[in-house]
Amino acid sequence: MSYPYQLMTQADYENAYRKSVENPEEFWAGVAENFVWRKKWDKVLEWNFTEPSVKWFIGGKLNITENCLDQWAQKQPDTPAIIWEPNNPNDPTITLTYKELLAKVIEFAVVLKNNGVEKGDRVCIYMPMVTELAIAMLACARIGAIHNIVFGGFSAKSIRDRIEDSQCTFVITADGVYRGAKPIDLKSAVDAALEGDTPVKKVIVLNHANIAISMKEGRDLWWHNEIASLQGKELKDPIEEMDAEDMLYILYTSGSTGKPKGVVHTTGGYMVYVTYSFVNVFQYKPGDIYFCTADIGWVTGHSYIVYGPLAAGATSLMFEGIPTYPDAGRFWDIVDKHKVNILYTAPTAIRSLMAFGLDPLKGKDLGSLKVIGSVGEPINLEAWQWYYDNVGKKNCPLVDTWWQTENGGILISTLAGVTPSIPTFATRPLPGIQPVLVDANGKELEGNNVAGNLCIKFPWPSMLRTTYGDHERCRLNYFATYPGNYFSGDGALRDENGNYRITGRVDDVINVSGHRIGTAEVESAINVQDSVVESAVVGYPHDIKGQALYAFVILDGNISEADALAKINTAVNKEIGHFARPDKIQFVKGLPKTRSGKIMRRILRKIAEGEMNNLGDTTTLLNPEVVEEIKNHRLS
Ligand code: PRX
C-alpha cells in the first residue's frame, strides 16, 4: 500500500522534481487533489516576494481536521491515531483511535465554543506532551480559532509577551508536567503571565499531575468539569469551513534582532505540504508506528507529530518524558514496546545518549525500526555514525531533514530508501523546493561545489505568510536581504552532485540543544540587571548541545561576581526560560568595539571557540587592549 503521491524510486523523485519546477501549479494541484476539500480552489498560486504576498489554493474551502480526523474515522475508525507513552514507564499507555480522537476533538471544540471562543480568536496553549494538547490544537482548528502554542519550558514573561503580541483571549494549560522524577508546575507560570492587564478572558486547566494550584474565580475552569457538563447532551459539531488562506496557527520563533516573531501559517497549503513531505521523507506506509520525539511546543511537533501524520492517517506516538528517565535506554524501550518503525529525533538527543555509551542499548531489539531521522541542527559525523550503526543497525536509511519554523515543513532531505543518504548532508531539495546559494552581495552562485547563504527562490505551499501584526518585519527579516529570495539565515554548501550540506546559522541565532535562541534576547535579559553595564552573548561548539551560549558581561563594580552570576541566571530563567541560560559567563572590563561603537562579535566568537590565535585584524578597534584581557581570563 502506498499513497497516490508517494515517490517510490529515485526516478520517481527526479521526475516529480522536474515537474514541480517546470510547472509548479500543476504539480501541487495534482498533490492537493488527494485531500478533502469542501470546495476546490479557483487558482493554485499567486505570489511575489517583494511585498511579500504568497497565496496557495486560492478560493479553496476546507477544514484541516476533516483531513486529519473525519476521513480516517470513516475509512479506518479503529486504527490508532495517537499512542501516548507516559513519563513513568509503569503508568498506562493511552491509545486513541481515529474514531475516539475525532469524538474528543468535537467534544472539546464544543467546550471552547461554549466558553465564547470564536473563529479567528487567538488561543494560547501551554501544556505538557499529553493527548489533550493534540486535542486542544485540533479543537481550535476545527472551530477556526488560531492556536499559539508556547513550549512548556518558556517563562511567565515569555508567555505574557506572546499572549500580548497576538492578543490571545483564551489560554489552555495544565496544572503540571511530568519530566523525569518530579512533576513540574506549569499553572503558576500562566498565573504570573496573566497578572495585571491582560486580554485573556478564560483559562481552561487540565488536571494532569495532581499538583495543588490556585484557580482564579471567574477566569479559570477545569477541563474535566467542562467535559462533564456536556455529558448526556446531544453535541452539535461546531466545525467551521475555512478558506485555504485562513490562519491556522501562530508560532513564535527567535530571530537575530528584537523580540520573537509570530510566524503565521495558513490552512490549505500547510496541510498539503506537511502531509506530502511526511509521507515521502519518512516513506510512511499505512500501519507503521511513527515516533517523533520533539515537543509539540516547537514546529516539528506541529507539523510532524500532529498535522502531517494525522492527515496521512498515520499512527503517531507521543512521549511525555525525557530520553534519560528512568534511564538512558528509555527511547529504545519505547521503540521495542510499541514496535516503532520510524524514529525522528534531534542530534542533541543522540549526542546526550551517546555519552552513556552502548550499555543502555544492550538487550534492546530495535528490529522494528525501518527509518531513522534527524532534525533541528547540523548532525556531526560522529553522531550520524553512532545513530546509523547502533540504532539503525546499519540497515535503516537516516534522513537528515533541514527546515525551519518559517518553512512549515521539511525542505531539504533524503527520502528514506528512495534517494541516497550521505553522512552530514541533508542532500536534495524536496519536489517544489528551489534552493539557491548566494554570496554576500546576493549574487547567485551557480553550479556545484559552492558555498554561500541558503535562500529559496520560489514559494512552496507551507511557507510563512507573514509575522503576526507586523508584515514589514516579515519582509525585512526574510525577503529584503537578498531581493527576490526567501533568506533562511543558514549557510550551506552544494557538492559536486548537487547535494546540500547545512553549515549552520550565519546570523546571531544560536541553536542550543535544538532550541533556537536569539543572542539579542539573552543580552537584553542580562542587561536589565542594575549592576550590568553591558553584555555580549555568542555561541560556541558544545559536545552535547551542539552549540552553547557564552556571555561576556561588564559589571558596574557595585556587586560581587558571585552575586552577579546568580542574578543573571535568575534573570534569564525569568525573561526567557532555563534553556537559554549561558553555560559560561565571563566578567570583563570592556567589550571590543569598532570606532562607531559596535561590538565586534566576530572576535568574541573566536575567543569563545578557543581560536585565540586567529582573531583577524584587531587594529581598527576602538579599544584593542580589552582583547588581551578577555583572552587571558577566558573560561575553558
Ligand atoms: O539552523 C537551522 C537549524 O535549525 C534552524 C531552524 O530552527 P527552528 O525554526 O527552531 O526549527 C527547527 C526544526 C525544523 C535552521 O535555521 N536546522 C534545522 N534542521 C537542520 C538544521 N541545521 C542543519 N541540519 C538540519 N537538518
Side-chain angles (χ1 to χ4, degrees):
M1 263 272 287
S2 63
Y3 295 82
Y5 45 84
Q6 193 155 24
L7 308 169
M8 308 297 279
T9 63
Q10 182 150 6
D12 284 352
Y13 163 75
E14 305 288 356
N15 218 354
Y17 191 79
R18 189 172 28 78
K19 279 193 191 150
S20 77
V21 173
E22 282 170 7
N23 196 338
E25 281 91 340
E26 194 180 301
F27 175 80
W28 285 114
V31 177
E33 292 286 344
N34 298 289
F35 291 78
V36 181
W37 297 85
R38 293 230 177 149
K39 175 185 166 285
K40 284 265 163 74
W41 52 93
D42 304 313
K43 194 172 175 204
V44 178
L45 172 65
E46 271 177 16
W47 70 287
N48 73 69
F49 276 178
T50 325
E51 290 174 53
S53 167
V54 173
K55 295 190 179 116
W56 282 91
F57 307 113
I58 299 145
K61 303 283 178 196
L62 74 158
N63 187 293
I64 194 169
T65 67
E66 278 183 335
N67 284 272
C68 292
L69 302 170
D70 304 58
Q71 64 161 325
W72 306 115
Q74 282 206 344
K75 291 182 209 160
Q76 48 176 47
D78 301 322
T79 298
I82 295 178
I83 298 174
W84 177 76
E85 174 68 22
N87 170 68
N88 183 335
N90 301 319
D91 288 344
T93 293
I94 294 173
T95 300
L96 293 176
T97 64
Y98 273 95
K99 196 169 86 191
E100 290 165 340
L101 182 59
L102 172 62
K104 285 189 179 291
V105 168
I106 293 177
E107 204 176 48
F108 196 65
V110 171
V111 167
L112 293 177
K113 281 298 254 199
N114 286 351
N115 282 293
V117 185
E118 292 297 330
K119 180 174 176 175
D121 285 348
R122 274 81 58 215
V123 178
C124 172
I125 303 181
Y126 185 71
M127 288 184 84
M129 280 287 288
V130 290
T131 55
E132 287 84 354
L133 167 52
I135 292 166
M137 64 197 285
L138 290 161
C140 286
R142 195 144 183 105
I143 63 170
I146 298 157
H147 56 73
N148 169 3
I149 304 183
V150 180
F151 169 61
F154 276 114
S155 66
K157 172 78 167 43
S158 298
I159 304 171
R160 186 178 180 86
D161 288 348
R162 285 157 174 74
I163 286 175
E164 276 182 354
D165 191 69
S166 57
Q167 289 291 296
C168 292
T169 40
F170 294 84
V171 176
I172 307 170
T173 188
D175 57 341
V177 50
Y178 291 106
R179 287 178 71 72
K182 277 198 297 245
I184 305 164
D185 182 333
L186 283 179
K187 174 66 166 40
S188 61
V190 172
D191 291 339
L194 300 184
E195 269 168 24
D197 278 351
T198 166
V200 171
K201 296 181 213 152
K202 285 190 178 168
V203 179
I204 301 180
V205 187
L206 177 77
N207 179 29
H208 174 61
N210 281 320
I211 296 180
I213 55 164
S214 67
M215 294 287 279
K216 186 168 171 182
E217 186 75 37
R219 185 195 71 185
D220 298 354
L221 308 161
W222 284 109
W223 179 300
H224 57 265
N225 287 345
E226 293 304 295
I227 296 288
S229 74
L230 304 179
Q231 298 318 308
K233 294 194 185 141
E234 180 121 4
L235 298 187
K236 187 175 167 299
D237 180 359
I239 188 163
E240 287 280 345
E241 182 172 284
M242 305 301 287
D243 191 89
E245 279 299 331
D246 277 341
M247 255 183 230
L248 176 63
Y249 68 80
I250 305 167
L251 182 58
Y252 282 80
T253 191
S254 296
S256 52
T257 52
K259 288 206 297 197
K261 304 177 279 279
V263 167
V264 169
H265 285 295
T266 57
T267 307
Y270 176 81
M271 169 185 76
V272 169
Y273 192 83
V274 295
T275 315
Y276 179 81
S277 52
F278 168 72
V279 163
N280 282 301
V281 168
F282 300 107
Q283 285 295 306
Y284 186 87
K285 301 280 160 33
D288 284 347
I289 309 290
Y290 161 84
F291 175 22
C292 168
T293 71
D295 192 291
I296 293 179
W298 306 108
V299 75
T300 307
H302 284 63
S303 299
Y304 298 114
I305 295 179
V306 179
Y307 288 114
L310 297 184
T315 298
S316 181
L317 196 152
M318 262 176 94
F319 173 43
E320 182 180 8
I322 54 173
T324 48
Y325 182 80
D327 58 50
R330 188 64 195 280
F331 276 2
W332 325 132
D333 286 334
I334 296 175
V335 168
D336 282 354
K337 176 173 170 188
H338 297 286
K339 306 257 173 305
V340 169
N341 305 109
I342 303 167
L343 175 68
Y344 190 28
T345 191
T348 183
I350 298 164
R351 287 189 300 262
S352 72
L353 295 175
M354 265 169 79
F356 290 88
L358 292 176
D359 274 358
L361 279 151
K362 284 209 181 108
K364 316 288 152 119
D365 182 51
L366 306 184
S368 54
L369 285 176
K370 295 194 297 189
V371 173
I372 54 177
S374 167
V375 62
E377 44 174 322
I379 178 164
N380 50 309
L381 185 58
E382 204 192 349
W384 197 102
Q385 208 65 55
W386 189 89
Y387 191 28
Y388 182 76
D389 291 353
N390 301 301
V391 181
K393 313 272 191 206
K394 302 187 182 169
N395 61 21
C396 295
L398 194 168
V399 292
D400 175 5
T401 63
W402 175 79
W403 60 296
Q404 312 177 289
T405 304
E406 295 85 345
N407 307 153
I410 297 165
L411 299 196
I412 303 184
S413 173
T414 297
L415 311 183
V418 171
T419 59
S421 303
I422 307 171
T424 75
F425 278 72
T427 72
R428 303 278 295 274
L430 264 68
I433 307 306
Q434 301 188 36
V436 288
L437 297 177
V438 301
D439 69 13
N441 303 317
K443 190 173 153 302
E444 185 173 340
L445 302 165
E446 312 254 3
N448 289 337
N449 271 326
V450 285
N453 298 316
L454 178 58
C455 296
I456 315 285
K457 70 174 180 194
F458 194 85
W460 64 100
S462 65
M463 68 186 293
L464 86 165
R465 301 297 194 262
T466 189
T467 44
Y468 193 82
D470 192 350
H471 193 61
E472 179 61 4
R473 195 157 176 218
C474 172
R475 188 185 72 80
L476 284 174
N477 263 286
Y478 306 107
F479 298 90
T481 318
Y482 301 115
N485 291 306
Y486 163 85
F487 175 43
S488 66
D490 279 319
L493 60 84
R494 187 166 55 222
D495 76 1
E496 59 281 6
N497 300 312
N499 290 299
Y500 286 84
R501 177 182 186 173
I502 313 302
T503 46
R505 301 288 307 194
V506 294
D507 55 9
D508 290 322
V509 172
I510 313 287
N511 263 313
V512 178
S513 300
H515 299 326
R516 183 164 153 184
I517 300 171
T519 53
E521 274 176 73
V522 183
E523 285 165 13
S524 51
I526 296 176
N527 293 349
V528 290
Q529 299 309 302
D530 285 344
S531 43
V532 170
V533 177
E534 199 176 18
S535 69
V537 174
V538 297
Y540 71 96
H542 185 282
D543 283 351
I544 292 188
K545 300 178 177 185
Q547 279 184 296
L549 300 177
Y550 194 129
F552 299 90
V553 181
I554 308 175
L555 297 176
D556 66 4
N558 297 323
I559 188 169
S560 73
E561 290 191 354
D563 285 350
L565 205 60
K567 275 197 158 182
I568 288 170
N569 281 327
T570 312
V572 177
N573 279 350
K574 201 163 145 252
E575 296 286 317
I576 309 172
H578 56 88
F579 60 88
R581 269 165 53 169
D583 274 38
K584 295 182 184 174
I585 300 176
Q586 179 179 347
F587 297 106
V588 297
K589 293 208 173 66
L591 293 167
K593 293 203 173 163
T594 61
R595 298 229 157 106
S596 60
K598 219 175 129 214
I599 299 173
M600 282 285 264
R601 287 161 193 286
R602 179 176 55 75
I603 292 177
L604 294 173
R605 229 175 273 134
K606 291 264 186 219
I607 295 175
E609 285 166 4
E611 289 200 35
M612 314 239 268
N613 299 326
N614 184 16
L615 295 183
D617 183 14
T618 55
T619 55
T620 56
L621 289 177
L622 187 68
N623 49 355
E625 71 287 352
V626 299
V627 175
E628 280 312 303
E629 185 239 301
I630 297 175
K631 270 166 65 176
N632 291 341
H633 296 94
R634 173 180 178 268
L635 304 174
S636 53

